[in-house]
């Protein structure tokens, strides 16, 4: 089975790209494991100054794969096992956040759900003008998890986080830039090129000093992240027990309008 994640080293920069071959480039359990392993490769890599993460030129990712063959009905899995399974997403984001080098996310097309959580765990974000951002979890009868809410708040503030994650507003690249959700906007299919230019600039700087400043900023920005984000996994497990969760997933898979009751 071909690997879905590829790593390329160019000087002091590493480029991690992922492609499932499917239209949605969805975050299956397998892809989450491969992306986590790729990130951990650079936790202790003094020769690397920057790590770029990118999807395909038509789509970054449309989020978690609800049709994943590894996905099981929550009703058939004991709570003790579900708690362990649900740690994969937070572990992925933590792995990328803990990379020593400066990390840059290059985004083309849609970035949805888990893709939003993943991009928020990197240091900088470059989006093409064709990029679009969307957090549909509430519309699926679930809460946004993977430790993403504190990271969103750090990037765009509380009100805009509510617009993204509670009201499920879709945001284009220019709006995302104005909000601070992304840092640079590039021409269509130009996100990776712009990310490489940033990596080249970073590669000319003293690498240890660069990494020290990055870590100082992250400690200041995310000091309360674990305190404010720890319960989202337990909340997700609770939502799995609800009728609205089952209706949200079923309506999505069946391509119909959901009928939520609050139960």
């Amino acid at each position: 089975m071909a690997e879905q994640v590829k790593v390329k080293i160019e000087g002091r920069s590493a480029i991690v790209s992922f492609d499932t071959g499917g239209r949605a480039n969805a975050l299956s359990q397998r892809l989450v494991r491969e992306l986590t392993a790729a990130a951990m490769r650079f936790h202790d890599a003094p020769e690397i100054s920057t790590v770029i993460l990118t999807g395909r030129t038509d789509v970054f990712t449309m989020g978690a794969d609800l049709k994943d063959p590894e996905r099981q009905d929550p009703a058939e899995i004991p709570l003790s096992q579900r708690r362990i399974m649900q740690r994969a997403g937070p572990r992925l984001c933590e792995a990328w956040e803990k990379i020593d080098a400066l990390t840059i996310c290059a985004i083309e097309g849609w970035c949805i759900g888990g893709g939003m959580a993943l991009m928020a765990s990197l240091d900088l974000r470059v989006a093409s003008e064709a990029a679009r951002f969307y957090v549909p979890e509430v519309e699926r009868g679930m809460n946004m998890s993977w430790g993403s809410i504190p990271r969103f708040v750090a990037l765009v503030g509380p009100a805009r986080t509510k617009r993204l994650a509670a009201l499920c507003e879709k945001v284009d690249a220019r709006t995302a830039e104005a909000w601070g959700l992304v840092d640079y906007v590039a021409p269509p299919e130009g996100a990776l090129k712009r990310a490489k230019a940033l990596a080249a600039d970073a590669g000319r700087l003293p690498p240890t000093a660069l990494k020290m400043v990055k870590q100082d900023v992250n400690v200041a920005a995310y000091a309360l992240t674990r305190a404010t984000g720890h319960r989202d996994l337990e909340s997700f497990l609770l939502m799995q027990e609800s009728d609205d969760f089952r209706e949200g997933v079923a309506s999505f898979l069946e391509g119909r309008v959901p009928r939520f009751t609050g139960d």
Side-chain angles (χ1 to χ4, degrees):
M1 187 178 293
E3 290 186 354
Q4 297 179 340
V5 176
K6 295 181 179 179
V7 178
K8 183 179 180 181
I9 307 297
E10 296 182 356
R12 299 195 64 84
S13 181
I15 302 168
V16 179
S17 60
F18 63 97
D19 182 359
T20 66
R23 182 183 66 85
N25 211 21
L27 293 167
S28 65
Q29 291 295 309
R30 174 190 166 195
L31 179 57
V32 165
R33 289 192 296 269
E34 288 190 19
L35 285 171
T36 302
M40 294 180 69
R41 173 176 170 178
F42 300 106
H43 280 197
D44 301 300
E47 72 283 3
I48 297 297
S49 291
T50 58
V51 181
I52 297 171
L53 174 66
T54 191
R56 294 201 307 258
T57 56
D58 62 327
V59 62
F60 184 67
T61 177
M62 291 189 178
D65 188 354
L66 296 182
K67 299 179 181 179
D68 187 350
E70 292 188 35
R71 185 179 181 274
Q72 296 173 271
D73 185 342
E76 299 176 356
I77 308 171
L79 176 61
S80 57
Q81 283 185 255
R82 282 191 285 129
R83 290 185 75 249
I84 294 170
M85 291 174 61
Q86 291 301 326
R87 291 172 184 164
R91 187 179 295 120
L92 166 67
C93 295
E94 289 171 8
W96 278 90
E97 189 172 80
K98 290 179 179 179
I99 289 175
D100 203 25
L102 189 75
T103 54
I104 306 168
C105 195
I107 303 151
E108 299 279 356
W110 281 105
C111 178
I112 296 178
M116 292 279 287
L118 177 56
M119 76 158 201
S121 67
L122 275 71
D123 299 313
L124 298 173
R125 284 147 291 280
V126 180
S128 83
E129 291 175 348
R132 297 292 182 271
F133 303 88
Y134 177 36
V135 182
E137 270 68 7
V138 166
E139 292 182 337
R140 305 282 184 264
M142 57 190 78
N143 63 296
M144 184 59 181
S145 56
W146 293 15
S148 60
I149 297 298
R151 295 184 182 106
F152 289 165
V153 173
L155 290 173
V156 303
R160 285 169 175 165
T161 296
K162 292 167 187 173
R163 291 173 65 179
L164 284 170
L167 296 178
C168 307
E169 290 189 17
K170 298 180 178 71
V171 176
D172 62 28
R174 290 298 178 186
T175 302
E177 181 185 34
W179 284 13
L181 187 63
V182 303
D183 303 287
Y184 305 91
V185 175
E189 300 188 14
L192 181 57
K193 180 179 179 181
R194 184 70 177 91
K196 286 183 177 181
L198 287 170
D201 290 341
R204 289 187 282 270
L205 298 170
T208 301
L210 173 68
K211 295 172 183 179
M212 285 180 173
V213 170
K214 167 198 162 149
Q215 295 301 330
D216 287 344
V217 172
N218 280 2
V219 168
Y222 302 126
L224 294 177
T225 295
R226 290 186 64 82
T228 56
H230 79 282
R231 68 177 287 274
D232 68 18
L233 185 149
E234 311 296 346
S235 297
F236 192 90
L237 294 171
L238 177 62
M239 288 302 302
Q240 282 185 328
E241 304 292 332
S242 71
D243 291 339
D244 280 352
F245 182 97
R246 288 185 284 272
E247 171 63 10
V249 173
S251 62
F252 173 76
L253 295 176
E254 295 166 11
R256 59 175 174 82
V257 177
R259 296 180 294 273
F260 294 126
T261 64
D263 294 327

